[in-house]
Amino acid sequence: MKSLVFLLGMLAIVTTVQCKITVADKGKPIANKEEYLKGINDKRRTHAKKAQVPNMNKLVWDDYLATQVEMHDLTCNWKTCRESRRDGDDHTEKFYERHTKSYWGDNKRQDLVADYKNYFMSELEDLTPGQQKIGCYQLSITDDGKMDNGTDIGYGVLNMATRCFLAPEGSGDSWKVPRGEPGSACPDGFVNDDGLCAPKAKSSENSGSSGSSGSSGSAEKDKESGSKEEGNTESSGQPSKMSGVVTSLVMMVVLKFM
């Protein structure tokens, strides 16, 4: 019985192991916000047309979100915003591409929504349909691809040069909308802009650069309710294939003891 309890404890530990990322203490602002934003929206538009996403919003720049990134303020993350790590090296970009393809198809949509609630979703963070605002800051980020215990997860070292926050979605529920003509399922107050849902009063790429007073107020509440990250080492939230393998082995041993 003691052996069984020990193995169950190990199972609980294994399933929660995640790797660490290292974030630079200092960085610099995005040099050309309008051009940078246009590149992200072009990518979202291309994906919306390719994947038949009917509710892909056109992002506007938000200076307060960029400031949160600069200040390492993660209080909104997983609540009213999501983190994106961008501008990776060749290896990282190829990994992101493979990761996105692994969720392609309607039969993978349920897995996408479920995993979105638990893990950092690489390139899919930039492509989440329901996001409306983005703010970025150039900060070098390294994911060493290893668990806390040193076990190699298998995707190698990932290096990114930019960190962003996208708001207001933290849950990924906008992925639940069935496929359809791009721009055909825009929310109230948005219009179809060549496949993207653009705000009626802010249809240009660089509009709303400072964010509305309402959004700033919401962000301030997030800031008050939480605290800034303590250091420059964080949990990446990247799912570990190794955890699944070890979990299966542990379960086999558990069954043997029962």
Side-chain angles (χ1 to χ4, degrees), residues 17-23 85 89 91-92 95-96 98 120 122 141-160 233-243:
V17 169
Q18 294 178 344
C19 61
K20 297 288 185 179
I21 67 167
T22 302
V23 183
R85 304 168 198 158
D89 57 19
H91 169 72
T92 301
F95 169 78
Y96 274 18
R98 293 195 302 271
F120 169 72
S122 303
I141 307 171
T142 299
D143 179 343
D144 65 5
K146 295 181 179 180
M147 298 183 192
D148 292 339
N149 61 6
T151 302
D152 194 328
I153 294 177
Y155 55 74
V157 178
L158 305 179
N159 293 295
M160 293 72 64
T233 302
E234 309 159 5
S235 172
S236 72
Q238 192 69 39
S240 168
K241 295 181 180 179
M242 182 62 69
S243 295

Side-chain angles (χ1 to χ4, degrees), residues 140-193:
S140 61
I141 307 171
T142 299
D143 179 343
D144 65 5
K146 295 181 179 180
M147 298 183 192
D148 292 339
N149 61 6
T151 302
D152 194 328
I153 294 177
Y155 55 74
V157 178
L158 305 179
N159 293 295
M160 293 72 64
T162 307
R163 190 182 216 178
C164 304
F165 283 154
L166 295 95
E169 185 168 350
S171 64
D173 287 341
S174 61
W175 286 109
K176 295 179 180 179
V177 176
R179 297 184 195 276
E181 187 67 22
S184 63
C186 294
D188 292 340
F190 288 74
V191 295
N192 187 350
D193 178 8

Side-chain angles (χ1 to χ4, degrees), residues 2 15 21 62 72 76 87 126 132 134 140 181 195 199 208 222 230 233 246 257:
K2 289 183 178 180
T15 55
I21 67 167
D62 189 289
H72 301 283
C76 70
D87 304 325
D126 282 349
Q132 300 177 13
I134 188 170
S140 61
E181 187 67 22
D222 285 329
E230 295 297 330
T233 302
V246 178
F257 277 89

Side-chain angles (χ1 to χ4, degrees), residues 42-229:
D42 286 346
K43 184 176 183 179
R44 287 170 67 88
R45 179 178 284 111
T46 298
H47 183 77
K49 292 181 178 181
K50 182 178 180 180
Q52 292 292 287
V53 181
N55 60 326
M56 182 76 76
N57 289 329
K58 186 176 184 179
L59 300 176
V60 296
W61 187 268
D62 189 289
D63 283 333
Y64 185 74
L65 287 175
T67 300
Q68 284 186 286
V69 176
E70 177 187 2
M71 301 303 292
H72 301 283
D73 179 3
L74 301 178
T75 51
C76 70
N77 200 20
W78 300 87
K79 301 172 186 175
T80 58
C81 78
R82 293 280 295 205
E83 176 196 9
S84 171
R85 304 168 198 158
R86 312 191 74 253
D87 304 325
D89 57 19
D90 288 343
H91 169 72
T92 301
E93 292 300 324
K94 289 178 181 178
F95 169 78
Y96 274 18
E97 183 178 346
R98 293 195 302 271
H99 184 258
T100 299
K101 286 182 178 179
S102 70
Y103 288 98
W104 184 268
D106 291 333
N107 62 326
K108 299 293 183 66
R109 187 59 63 89
Q110 186 174 352
D111 292 338
L112 169 58
V113 174
D115 288 347
Y116 194 95
K117 297 181 185 301
N118 295 290
Y119 304 114
F120 169 72
M121 295 299 287
S122 303
E123 182 183 48
L124 289 167
E125 299 289 355
D126 282 349
L127 301 175
T128 302
Q131 302 294 20
Q132 300 177 13
K133 302 180 295 182
I134 188 170
C136 304
Y137 200 79
Q138 288 189 341
L139 285 170
S140 61
I141 307 171
T142 299
D143 179 343
D144 65 5
K146 295 181 179 180
M147 298 183 192
D148 292 339
N149 61 6
T151 302
D152 194 328
I153 294 177
Y155 55 74
V157 178
L158 305 179
N159 293 295
M160 293 72 64
T162 307
R163 190 182 216 178
C164 304
F165 283 154
L166 295 95
E169 185 168 350
S171 64
D173 287 341
S174 61
W175 286 109
K176 295 179 180 179
V177 176
R179 297 184 195 276
E181 187 67 22
S184 63
C186 294
D188 292 340
F190 288 74
V191 295
N192 187 350
D193 178 8
D194 189 23
L196 292 182
C197 298
K200 287 182 179 179
K202 301 177 182 179
S203 58
S204 63
E205 296 284 358
N206 61 349
S207 60
S209 61
S210 298
S212 65
S213 59
S215 63
S216 297
S218 175
E220 287 292 347
K221 290 181 180 179
D222 285 329
K223 188 173 182 179
E224 292 172 1
S225 65
S227 60
K228 293 183 180 180
E229 61 181 321

